[in-house]
């Protein structure tokens, strides 16, 4: 988890704690307090789930980018090796022709 994610999680936890304390100390009936606390916790849960989804999507996109770069690099290396092999093959062929011509 990066620093921004840690900050967001800490902020959400602080907001949840503040909301919970505010509700618990509010001059409401017990049932009303429980209802408010339940709604606040449900809202917090929804925000945490949404944030987790956003982070997961970001990680998936980053993974896709790295995979794409790796595939591109592999293809470039493969092309370079193929070109080098062709060059060596031609050099060997030319050397063999020269050796036969001198014999």
């Amino acid at each position: 988890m990066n620093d921004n994610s840690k900050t967001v999680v800490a902020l959400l936890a602080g907001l949840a704690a503040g909301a919970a304390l505010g509700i618990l100390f509010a001059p409401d009936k017990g049932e009303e307090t429980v209802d408010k606390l339940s709604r606040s916790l449900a809202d917090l849960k929804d925000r945490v789930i949404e944030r987790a989804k956003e982070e997961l999507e970001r990680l998936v996109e980053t993974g896709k980018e790295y995979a794409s770069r790796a595939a591109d690099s592999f293809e470039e290396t493969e092309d370079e090796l193929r070109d080098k092999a062709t060059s060596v093959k031609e050099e060997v062929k030319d050397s063999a022709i020269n050796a036969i011509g001198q014999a």
Side-chain angles (χ1 to χ4, degrees):
M1 190 180 314
N2 64 26
D3 288 339
N4 290 338
S5 297
K6 290 178 185 177
T7 302
V8 169
V9 169
L11 177 65
L12 289 175
L15 288 172
L21 288 173
I23 291 169
L24 289 174
F25 288 109
D28 287 333
K29 293 181 182 178
E31 187 175 309
E32 291 174 11
T33 301
V34 170
D35 287 343
K36 285 182 180 180
L37 185 57
S38 294
R39 283 191 305 271
S40 292
L41 291 175
D43 289 344
L44 175 64
K45 178 193 77 167
D46 292 342
R47 287 191 305 245
V48 168
I49 288 172
E50 184 62 31
R51 178 66 181 171
K53 286 179 182 178
E54 291 170 3
E55 282 296 312
L56 182 59
E57 288 173 5
R58 186 186 63 79
L59 288 172
V60 166
E61 287 303 314
T62 301
K64 286 179 181 179
E65 286 178 29
Y66 285 137
S68 177
R69 289 180 193 169
D72 291 345
S73 178
F74 176 79
E75 288 175 7
E76 288 174 15
T77 302
E78 182 182 32
D79 290 343
E80 289 172 9
L81 289 173
R82 184 171 287 118
D83 291 344
K84 184 66 175 175
T86 301
S87 175
V88 169
K89 178 181 168 184
E90 290 298 319
E91 288 176 22
V92 169
K93 180 180 173 183
D94 291 344
S95 294
I97 291 172
N98 286 339
I100 293 171
Q102 292 177 356

